Amino acid sequence: MIGIELQETVEAGDFITARIHWVREGADRSVTRILADVAWRTGGEGNVASGVARVTQVPVRKHQPDGVFPVRLLIPYEGPISFEGELISLSWRLRVRVDQSGFDEFAEAEFRVVPG
């Protein structure tokens, strides 16, 4: 099971810091890696668009127990900035993937990007 603890708001051009809480679901599942990225996407009546701003691989030791993994990713200076409009909105998410034997686990948490 994955939990994500992060800032609710971050300025464009600044780092978002988060803590990934991961609990192993089964003793026979070995973790290959944990990947985290920050991505934006639009929603609403307008054209749908999305993009990945940054990606990182979180270090995991071979026989590391469940735990908390810190993540720090730079939000681009050029944004885009989060907003809610009448026809379109833009939101940011921190997405986490635990790459393990069997089925991978996924989680995401939303945050806002404001002008720097």
Side-chain angles (χ1 to χ4, degrees):
M1 174 184 236
I2 303 171
I4 302 172
E5 181 183 335
L6 76 157
Q7 307 162 236
E8 291 182 16
T9 304
V10 63
E11 291 183 359
D14 204 356
F15 287 91
I16 184 159
T17 56
R19 294 165 40 125
I20 299 168
H21 300 267
W22 178 65
V23 178
R24 186 183 316 263
E25 293 181 7
D28 59 336
R29 302 185 82 176
S30 61
V31 175
T32 307
R33 60 189 173 166
I34 297 175
L35 299 171
D37 68 42
V38 287
W40 58 269
R41 70 177 170 205
T42 62
E45 300 293 323
N47 291 339
V48 176
S50 62
V52 175
R54 300 283 188 269
V55 179
T56 189
Q57 183 170 322
V58 181
V60 177
R61 292 185 295 276
K62 185 167 180 147
H63 297 289
Q64 183 170 359
D66 306 341
V68 178
F69 304 89
V71 174
R72 186 172 184 240
L73 292 161
L74 180 66
I75 303 300
Y77 290 99
E78 63 275 4
I81 304 302
S82 301
F83 68 91
E84 290 285 330
E86 289 183 29
L87 295 177
I88 195 168
S89 63
L90 188 136
S91 61
W92 281 83
R93 287 168 173 66
L94 173 70
R95 303 183 304 184
V96 176
R97 172 183 167 197
V98 176
D99 190 6
Q100 60 189 347
S101 59
F103 295 105
D104 293 349
E105 290 181 52
F106 300 90
E108 63 179 43
E110 193 169 318
F111 63 95
R112 294 188 51 78
V113 173
V114 297

